[in-house]
PDB file of all heavy atoms in Angstrom:
ATOM      1  N   TRP L   1      -5.580  -7.948 -13.798  1.00 91.00           N
ATOM      2  CA  TRP L   1      -4.341  -8.058 -13.033  1.00 91.00           C
ATOM      3  C   TRP L   1      -3.148  -7.543 -13.838  1.00 91.00           C
ATOM      4  O   TRP L   1      -2.269  -6.868 -13.309  1.00 91.00           O
ATOM      5  CB  TRP L   1      -4.117  -9.505 -12.609  1.00 91.00           C
ATOM      6  CG  TRP L   1      -2.795  -9.780 -11.973  1.00 91.00           C
ATOM      7  CD1 TRP L   1      -1.819 -10.611 -12.423  1.00 91.00           C
ATOM      8  CD2 TRP L   1      -2.276  -9.205 -10.763  1.00 91.00           C
ATOM      9  NE1 TRP L   1      -0.741 -10.609 -11.566  1.00 91.00           N
ATOM     10  CE2 TRP L   1      -0.993  -9.748 -10.543  1.00 91.00           C
ATOM     11  CE3 TRP L   1      -2.784  -8.291  -9.847  1.00 91.00           C
ATOM     12  CZ2 TRP L   1      -0.201  -9.401  -9.456  1.00 91.00           C
ATOM     13  CZ3 TRP L   1      -1.988  -7.939  -8.752  1.00 91.00           C
ATOM     14  CH2 TRP L   1      -0.726  -8.494  -8.569  1.00 91.00           C
ATOM     15  N   LEU L   2      -3.110  -7.829 -15.128  1.00 90.00           N
ATOM     16  CA  LEU L   2      -2.035  -7.319 -15.971  1.00 90.00           C
ATOM     17  C   LEU L   2      -2.044  -5.795 -15.997  1.00 90.00           C
ATOM     18  O   LEU L   2      -0.987  -5.156 -16.038  1.00 90.00           O
ATOM     19  CB  LEU L   2      -2.177  -7.865 -17.395  1.00 90.00           C
ATOM     20  CG  LEU L   2      -1.996  -9.380 -17.574  1.00 90.00           C
ATOM     21  CD1 LEU L   2      -2.110  -9.756 -19.040  1.00 90.00           C
ATOM     22  CD2 LEU L   2      -0.669  -9.850 -17.000  1.00 90.00           C
ATOM     23  N   GLU L   3      -3.229  -5.206 -15.959  1.00 91.00           N
ATOM     24  CA  GLU L   3      -3.350  -3.743 -15.903  1.00 91.00           C
ATOM     25  C   GLU L   3      -2.846  -3.207 -14.562  1.00 91.00           C
ATOM     26  O   GLU L   3      -2.120  -2.218 -14.506  1.00 91.00           O
ATOM     27  CB  GLU L   3      -4.806  -3.331 -16.109  1.00 91.00           C
ATOM     28  CG  GLU L   3      -5.280  -3.383 -17.542  1.00 91.00           C
ATOM     29  CD  GLU L   3      -4.812  -2.170 -18.341  1.00 91.00           C
ATOM     30  OE1 GLU L   3      -4.837  -1.051 -17.800  1.00 91.00           O
ATOM     31  OE2 GLU L   3      -4.410  -2.350 -19.491  1.00 91.00           O
ATOM     32  N   LEU L   4      -3.247  -3.871 -13.486  1.00 92.00           N
ATOM     33  CA  LEU L   4      -2.881  -3.397 -12.151  1.00 92.00           C
ATOM     34  C   LEU L   4      -1.380  -3.402 -11.926  1.00 92.00           C
ATOM     35  O   LEU L   4      -0.845  -2.563 -11.203  1.00 92.00           O
ATOM     36  CB  LEU L   4      -3.564  -4.254 -11.082  1.00 92.00           C
ATOM     37  CG  LEU L   4      -5.090  -4.159 -10.998  1.00 92.00           C
ATOM     38  CD1 LEU L   4      -5.624  -5.166  -9.992  1.00 92.00           C
ATOM     39  CD2 LEU L   4      -5.532  -2.752 -10.625  1.00 92.00           C
ATOM     40  N   LYS L   5      -0.686  -4.328 -12.538  1.00 88.00           N
ATOM     41  CA  LYS L   5       0.760  -4.437 -12.343  1.00 88.00           C
ATOM     42  C   LYS L   5       1.512  -3.253 -12.945  1.00 88.00           C
ATOM     43  O   LYS L   5       2.683  -3.051 -12.652  1.00 88.00           O
ATOM     44  CB  LYS L   5       1.266  -5.748 -12.954  1.00 88.00           C
ATOM     45  CG  LYS L   5       0.802  -6.984 -12.204  1.00 88.00           C
ATOM     46  CD  LYS L   5       1.186  -8.266 -12.918  1.00 88.00           C
ATOM     47  CE  LYS L   5       2.679  -8.508 -12.874  1.00 88.00           C
ATOM     48  NZ  LYS L   5       3.056  -9.818 -13.463  1.00 88.00           N
ATOM     49  N   LYS L   6       0.829  -2.457 -13.764  1.00 89.00           N
ATOM     50  CA  LYS L   6       1.481  -1.327 -14.421  1.00 89.00           C
ATOM     51  C   LYS L   6       1.445  -0.056 -13.580  1.00 89.00           C
ATOM     52  O   LYS L   6       2.109   0.914 -13.920  1.00 89.00           O
ATOM     53  CB  LYS L   6       0.801  -1.046 -15.773  1.00 89.00           C
ATOM     54  CG  LYS L   6       0.845  -2.185 -16.770  1.00 89.00           C
ATOM     55  CD  LYS L   6       0.051  -1.830 -18.010  1.00 89.00           C
ATOM     56  CE  LYS L   6      -0.031  -2.999 -18.982  1.00 89.00           C
ATOM     57  NZ  LYS L   6      -0.873  -2.657 -20.159  1.00 89.00           N
ATOM     58  N   ILE L   7       0.645  -0.041 -12.516  1.00 90.00           N
ATOM     59  CA  ILE L   7       0.488   1.195 -11.757  1.00 90.00           C
ATOM     60  C   ILE L   7       1.168   1.096 -10.396  1.00 90.00           C
ATOM     61  O   ILE L   7       1.472   0.011  -9.908  1.00 90.00           O
ATOM     62  CB  ILE L   7      -1.005   1.559 -11.591  1.00 90.00           C
ATOM     63  CG1 ILE L   7      -1.728   0.561 -10.690  1.00 90.00           C
ATOM     64  CG2 ILE L   7      -1.695   1.650 -12.929  1.00 90.00           C
ATOM     65  CD1 ILE L   7      -3.181   0.916 -10.429  1.00 90.00           C
ATOM     66  N   GLN L   8       1.392   2.255  -9.803  1.00 88.00           N
ATOM     67  CA  GLN L   8       2.077   2.307  -8.506  1.00 88.00           C
ATOM     68  C   GLN L   8       1.229   1.644  -7.426  1.00 88.00           C
ATOM     69  O   GLN L   8       0.011   1.737  -7.430  1.00 88.00           O
ATOM     70  CB  GLN L   8       2.354   3.761  -8.130  1.00 88.00           C
ATOM     71  CG  GLN L   8       3.085   3.936  -6.818  1.00 88.00           C
ATOM     72  CD  GLN L   8       3.464   5.375  -6.584  1.00 88.00           C
ATOM     73  OE1 GLN L   8       4.270   5.942  -7.323  1.00 88.00           O
ATOM     74  NE2 GLN L   8       2.895   5.985  -5.567  1.00 88.00           N
ATOM     75  N   SER L   9       1.887   0.983  -6.498  1.00 93.00           N
ATOM     76  CA  SER L   9       1.156   0.303  -5.433  1.00 93.00           C
ATOM     77  C   SER L   9       1.894   0.449  -4.107  1.00 93.00           C
ATOM     78  O   SER L   9       3.075   0.798  -4.070  1.00 93.00           O
ATOM     79  CB  SER L   9       0.966  -1.183  -5.771  1.00 93.00           C
ATOM     80  OG  SER L   9       2.216  -1.819  -5.949  1.00 93.00           O
ATOM     81  N   ILE L  10       1.171   0.196  -3.027  1.00 96.00           N
ATOM     82  CA  ILE L  10       1.716   0.283  -1.679  1.00 96.00           C
ATOM     83  C   ILE L  10       1.444  -1.024  -0.964  1.00 96.00           C
ATOM     84  O   ILE L  10       0.303  -1.502  -0.953  1.00 96.00           O
ATOM     85  CB  ILE L  10       1.076   1.455  -0.897  1.00 96.00           C
ATOM     86  CG1 ILE L  10       1.297   2.772  -1.636  1.00 96.00           C
ATOM     87  CG2 ILE L  10       1.643   1.533   0.516  1.00 96.00           C
ATOM     88  CD1 ILE L  10       0.532   3.939  -1.045  1.00 96.00           C
ATOM     89  N   GLU L  11       2.469  -1.618  -0.386  1.00 94.00           N
ATOM     90  CA  GLU L  11       2.321  -2.876   0.342  1.00 94.00           C
ATOM     91  C   GLU L  11       2.203  -2.605   1.841  1.00 94.00           C
ATOM     92  O   GLU L  11       3.033  -1.901   2.412  1.00 94.00           O
ATOM     93  CB  GLU L  11       3.512  -3.785   0.082  1.00 94.00           C
ATOM     94  CG  GLU L  11       3.597  -4.301  -1.342  1.00 94.00           C
ATOM     95  CD  GLU L  11       4.778  -5.244  -1.534  1.00 94.00           C
ATOM     96  OE1 GLU L  11       5.597  -5.363  -0.588  1.00 94.00           O
ATOM     97  OE2 GLU L  11       4.877  -5.851  -2.597  1.00 94.00           O
ATOM     98  N   VAL L  12       1.189  -3.188   2.450  1.00 97.00           N
ATOM     99  CA  VAL L  12       1.041  -3.093   3.912  1.00 97.00           C
ATOM    100  C   VAL L  12       0.870  -4.496   4.494  1.00 97.00           C
ATOM    101  O   VAL L  12       0.257  -4.690   5.536  1.00 97.00           O
ATOM    102  CB  VAL L  12      -0.157  -2.188   4.286  1.00 97.00           C
ATOM    103  CG1 VAL L  12       0.104  -0.746   3.883  1.00 97.00           C
ATOM    104  CG2 VAL L  12      -1.453  -2.684   3.647  1.00 97.00           C
ATOM    105  N   ILE L  13       1.444  -5.457   3.813  1.00 95.00           N
ATOM    106  CA  ILE L  13       1.244  -6.874   4.130  1.00 95.00           C
ATOM    107  C   ILE L  13       1.711  -7.222   5.536  1.00 95.00           C
ATOM    108  O   ILE L  13       1.017  -7.910   6.282  1.00 95.00           O
ATOM    109  CB  ILE L  13       1.988  -7.753   3.100  1.00 95.00           C
ATOM    110  CG1 ILE L  13       1.473  -7.460   1.683  1.00 95.00           C
ATOM    111  CG2 ILE L  13       1.834  -9.230   3.434  1.00 95.00           C
ATOM    112  CD1 ILE L  13       2.364  -8.007   0.585  1.00 95.00           C
ATOM    113  N   ASN L  14       2.880  -6.751   5.912  1.00 94.00           N
ATOM    114  CA  ASN L  14       3.495  -7.171   7.177  1.00 94.00           C
ATOM    115  C   ASN L  14       3.255  -6.213   8.331  1.00 94.00           C
ATOM    116  O   ASN L  14       3.839  -6.387   9.405  1.00 94.00           O
ATOM    117  CB  ASN L  14       5.004  -7.356   6.962  1.00 94.00           C
ATOM    118  CG  ASN L  14       5.318  -8.448   5.953  1.00 94.00           C
ATOM    119  OD1 ASN L  14       4.684  -9.501   5.972  1.00 94.00           O
ATOM    120  ND2 ASN L  14       6.272  -8.194   5.087  1.00 94.00           N
ATOM    121  N   LEU L  15       2.422  -5.228   8.131  1.00 97.00           N
ATOM    122  CA  LEU L  15       2.132  -4.280   9.210  1.00 97.00           C
ATOM    123  C   LEU L  15       0.967  -4.800  10.044  1.00 97.00           C
ATOM    124  O   LEU L  15      -0.099  -5.099   9.502  1.00 97.00           O
ATOM    125  CB  LEU L  15       1.806  -2.898   8.628  1.00 97.00           C
ATOM    126  CG  LEU L  15       2.950  -2.259   7.829  1.00 97.00           C
ATOM    127  CD1 LEU L  15       2.521  -0.928   7.234  1.00 97.00           C
ATOM    128  CD2 LEU L  15       4.176  -2.067   8.707  1.00 97.00           C
ATOM    129  N   PRO L  16       1.138  -4.934  11.356  1.00 96.00           N
ATOM    130  CA  PRO L  16       0.148  -5.638  12.178  1.00 96.00           C
ATOM    131  C   PRO L  16      -1.140  -4.877  12.459  1.00 96.00           C
ATOM    132  O   PRO L  16      -2.215  -5.483  12.540  1.00 96.00           O
ATOM    133  CB  PRO L  16       0.902  -5.910  13.493  1.00 96.00           C
ATOM    134  CG  PRO L  16       1.954  -4.844  13.549  1.00 96.00           C
ATOM    135  CD  PRO L  16       2.346  -4.566  12.129  1.00 96.00           C
ATOM    136  N   SER L  17      -1.074  -3.565  12.617  1.00 97.00           N
ATOM    137  CA  SER L  17      -2.272  -2.829  13.040  1.00 97.00           C
ATOM    138  C   SER L  17      -2.851  -1.992  11.906  1.00 97.00           C
ATOM    139  O   SER L  17      -2.151  -1.623  10.953  1.00 97.00           O
ATOM    140  CB  SER L  17      -1.941  -1.917  14.220  1.00 97.00           C
ATOM    141  OG  SER L  17      -1.112  -0.837  13.806  1.00 97.00           O
ATOM    142  N   ASP L  18      -4.135  -1.671  12.041  1.00 98.00           N
ATOM    143  CA  ASP L  18      -4.792  -0.825  11.044  1.00 98.00           C
ATOM    144  C   ASP L  18      -4.157   0.560  11.011  1.00 98.00           C
ATOM    145  O   ASP L  18      -4.052   1.171   9.950  1.00 98.00           O
ATOM    146  CB  ASP L  18      -6.285  -0.709  11.352  1.00 98.00           C
ATOM    147  CG  ASP L  18      -7.038  -2.006  11.090  1.00 98.00           C
ATOM    148  OD1 ASP L  18      -6.558  -2.820  10.288  1.00 98.00           O
ATOM    149  OD2 ASP L  18      -8.115  -2.193  11.690  1.00 98.00           O
ATOM    150  N   LYS L  19      -3.746   1.059  12.169  1.00 97.00           N
ATOM    151  CA  LYS L  19      -3.136   2.381  12.219  1.00 97.00           C
ATOM    152  C   LYS L  19      -1.815   2.405  11.455  1.00 97.00           C
ATOM    153  O   LYS L  19      -1.540   3.352  10.704  1.00 97.00           O
ATOM    154  CB  LYS L  19      -2.899   2.830  13.661  1.00 97.00           C
ATOM    155  CG  LYS L  19      -2.371   4.261  13.764  1.00 97.00           C
ATOM    156  CD  LYS L  19      -2.158   4.681  15.203  1.00 97.00           C
ATOM    157  CE  LYS L  19      -1.752   6.159  15.273  1.00 97.00           C
ATOM    158  NZ  LYS L  19      -0.616   6.501  14.394  1.00 97.00           N
ATOM    159  N   GLU L  20      -1.000   1.364  11.629  1.00 97.00           N
ATOM    160  CA  GLU L  20       0.267   1.307  10.907  1.00 97.00           C
ATOM    161  C   GLU L  20       0.036   1.197   9.403  1.00 97.00           C
ATOM    162  O   GLU L  20       0.761   1.808   8.609  1.00 97.00           O
ATOM    163  CB  GLU L  20       1.095   0.123  11.405  1.00 97.00           C
ATOM    164  CG  GLU L  20       1.645   0.309  12.809  1.00 97.00           C
ATOM    165  CD  GLU L  20       2.329  -0.940  13.323  1.00 97.00           C
ATOM    166  OE1 GLU L  20       1.629  -1.919  13.632  1.00 97.00           O
ATOM    167  OE2 GLU L  20       3.576  -0.919  13.410  1.00 97.00           O
ATOM    168  N   LYS L  21      -0.955   0.416   9.028  1.00 98.00           N
ATOM    169  CA  LYS L  21      -1.293   0.310   7.598  1.00 98.00           C
ATOM    170  C   LYS L  21      -1.735   1.665   7.054  1.00 98.00           C
ATOM    171  O   LYS L  21      -1.311   2.094   5.975  1.00 98.00           O
ATOM    172  CB  LYS L  21      -2.396  -0.725   7.392  1.00 98.00           C
ATOM    173  CG  LYS L  21      -1.973  -2.173   7.620  1.00 98.00           C
ATOM    174  CD  LYS L  21      -3.145  -3.107   7.350  1.00 98.00           C
ATOM    175  CE  LYS L  21      -2.728  -4.576   7.404  1.00 98.00           C
ATOM    176  NZ  LYS L  21      -2.405  -5.016   8.766  1.00 98.00           N
ATOM    177  N   ALA L  22      -2.601   2.350   7.816  1.00 97.00           N
ATOM    178  CA  ALA L  22      -3.096   3.652   7.382  1.00 97.00           C
ATOM    179  C   ALA L  22      -1.958   4.667   7.289  1.00 97.00           C
ATOM    180  O   ALA L  22      -1.924   5.481   6.355  1.00 97.00           O
ATOM    181  CB  ALA L  22      -4.176   4.145   8.343  1.00 97.00           C
ATOM    182  N   ASP L  23      -1.028   4.624   8.234  1.00 97.00           N
ATOM    183  CA  ASP L  23       0.117   5.536   8.202  1.00 97.00           C
ATOM    184  C   ASP L  23       0.940   5.318   6.937  1.00 97.00           C
ATOM    185  O   ASP L  23       1.376   6.277   6.286  1.00 97.00           O
ATOM    186  CB  ASP L  23       1.007   5.333   9.437  1.00 97.00           C
ATOM    187  CG  ASP L  23       0.378   5.887  10.709  1.00 97.00           C
ATOM    188  OD1 ASP L  23      -0.589   6.665  10.609  1.00 97.00           O
ATOM    189  OD2 ASP L  23       0.858   5.523  11.806  1.00 97.00           O
ATOM    190  N   GLU L  24       1.166   4.062   6.596  1.00 97.00           N
ATOM    191  CA  GLU L  24       1.963   3.755   5.403  1.00 97.00           C
ATOM    192  C   GLU L  24       1.233   4.190   4.132  1.00 97.00           C
ATOM    193  O   GLU L  24       1.845   4.730   3.196  1.00 97.00           O
ATOM    194  CB  GLU L  24       2.252   2.258   5.356  1.00 97.00           C
ATOM    195  CG  GLU L  24       3.405   1.872   4.446  1.00 97.00           C
ATOM    196  CD  GLU L  24       4.746   2.356   4.965  1.00 97.00           C
ATOM    197  OE1 GLU L  24       4.917   2.531   6.184  1.00 97.00           O
ATOM    198  OE2 GLU L  24       5.639   2.572   4.119  1.00 97.00           O
ATOM    199  N   ILE L  25      -0.063   3.969   4.099  1.00 97.00           N
ATOM    200  CA  ILE L  25      -0.858   4.397   2.942  1.00 97.00           C
ATOM    201  C   ILE L  25      -0.844   5.916   2.831  1.00 97.00           C
ATOM    202  O   ILE L  25      -0.703   6.478   1.738  1.00 97.00           O
ATOM    203  CB  ILE L  25      -2.297   3.867   3.057  1.00 97.00           C
ATOM    204  CG1 ILE L  25      -2.310   2.342   2.924  1.00 97.00           C
ATOM    205  CG2 ILE L  25      -3.196   4.494   1.989  1.00 97.00           C
ATOM    206  CD1 ILE L  25      -3.632   1.697   3.292  1.00 97.00           C
ATOM    207  N   PHE L  26      -0.981   6.589   3.972  1.00 97.00           N
ATOM    208  CA  PHE L  26      -0.980   8.047   3.972  1.00 97.00           C
ATOM    209  C   PHE L  26       0.339   8.599   3.432  1.00 97.00           C
ATOM    210  O   PHE L  26       0.359   9.525   2.612  1.00 97.00           O
ATOM    211  CB  PHE L  26      -1.221   8.567   5.392  1.00 97.00           C
ATOM    212  CG  PHE L  26      -1.139  10.060   5.508  1.00 97.00           C
ATOM    213  CD1 PHE L  26      -2.037  10.873   4.836  1.00 97.00           C
ATOM    214  CD2 PHE L  26      -0.156  10.652   6.284  1.00 97.00           C
ATOM    215  CE1 PHE L  26      -1.952  12.261   4.929  1.00 97.00           C
ATOM    216  CE2 PHE L  26      -0.067  12.033   6.389  1.00 97.00           C
ATOM    217  CZ  PHE L  26      -0.972  12.839   5.716  1.00 97.00           C
ATOM    218  N   HIS L  27       1.456   8.021   3.877  1.00 95.00           N
ATOM    219  CA  HIS L  27       2.755   8.474   3.384  1.00 95.00           C
ATOM    220  C   HIS L  27       2.887   8.199   1.882  1.00 95.00           C
ATOM    221  O   HIS L  27       3.480   9.001   1.154  1.00 95.00           O
ATOM    222  CB  HIS L  27       3.887   7.795   4.156  1.00 95.00           C
ATOM    223  CG  HIS L  27       4.132   8.402   5.495  1.00 95.00           C
ATOM    224  ND1 HIS L  27       3.272   8.220   6.572  1.00 95.00           N
ATOM    225  CD2 HIS L  27       5.129   9.204   5.959  1.00 95.00           C
ATOM    226  CE1 HIS L  27       3.738   8.884   7.619  1.00 95.00           C
ATOM    227  NE2 HIS L  27       4.857   9.481   7.281  1.00 95.00           N
ATOM    228  N   GLY L  28       2.328   7.080   1.413  1.00 95.00           N
ATOM    229  CA  GLY L  28       2.351   6.793  -0.013  1.00 95.00           C
ATOM    230  C   GLY L  28       1.517   7.778  -0.813  1.00 95.00           C
ATOM    231  O   GLY L  28       1.907   8.204  -1.905  1.00 95.00           O
ATOM    232  N   LEU L  29       0.370   8.162  -0.258  1.00 95.00           N
ATOM    233  CA  LEU L  29      -0.480   9.155  -0.923  1.00 95.00           C
ATOM    234  C   LEU L  29       0.242  10.499  -1.018  1.00 95.00           C
ATOM    235  O   LEU L  29       0.169  11.185  -2.043  1.00 95.00           O
ATOM    236  CB  LEU L  29      -1.793   9.317  -0.152  1.00 95.00           C
ATOM    237  CG  LEU L  29      -2.799   8.174  -0.267  1.00 95.00           C
ATOM    238  CD1 LEU L  29      -3.932   8.355   0.740  1.00 95.00           C
ATOM    239  CD2 LEU L  29      -3.361   8.076  -1.683  1.00 95.00           C
ATOM    240  N   CYS L  30       0.930  10.875   0.062  1.00 95.00           N
ATOM    241  CA  CYS L  30       1.683  12.134   0.063  1.00 95.00           C
ATOM    242  C   CYS L  30       2.818  12.100  -0.940  1.00 95.00           C
ATOM    243  O   CYS L  30       3.161  13.119  -1.552  1.00 95.00           O
ATOM    244  CB  CYS L  30       2.222  12.424   1.460  1.00 95.00           C
ATOM    245  SG  CYS L  30       0.938  12.823   2.671  1.00 95.00           S
TER     246      CYS L  30
END
């Protein structure tokens, strides 16, 4: 966990649908 906190991350906690989560992840990847 200490290692993971050092790298970039994307939160999709409050997004209700899988599509919205995927869209946010996709934009983060881009």
Side-chain angles (χ1 to χ4, degrees):
W1 172 242
L2 294 182
E3 283 281 319
L4 293 174
K5 291 174 70 175
K6 299 175 185 177
I7 68 177
Q8 181 174 295
S9 59
I10 302 172
E11 292 182 352
V12 293
I13 301 166
N14 298 318
L15 298 177
S17 70
D18 289 336
K19 185 180 185 308
E20 289 174 288
K21 290 181 173 70
D23 287 345
E24 198 68 27
I25 293 169
F26 176 63
H27 281 73
L29 287 170
C30 291

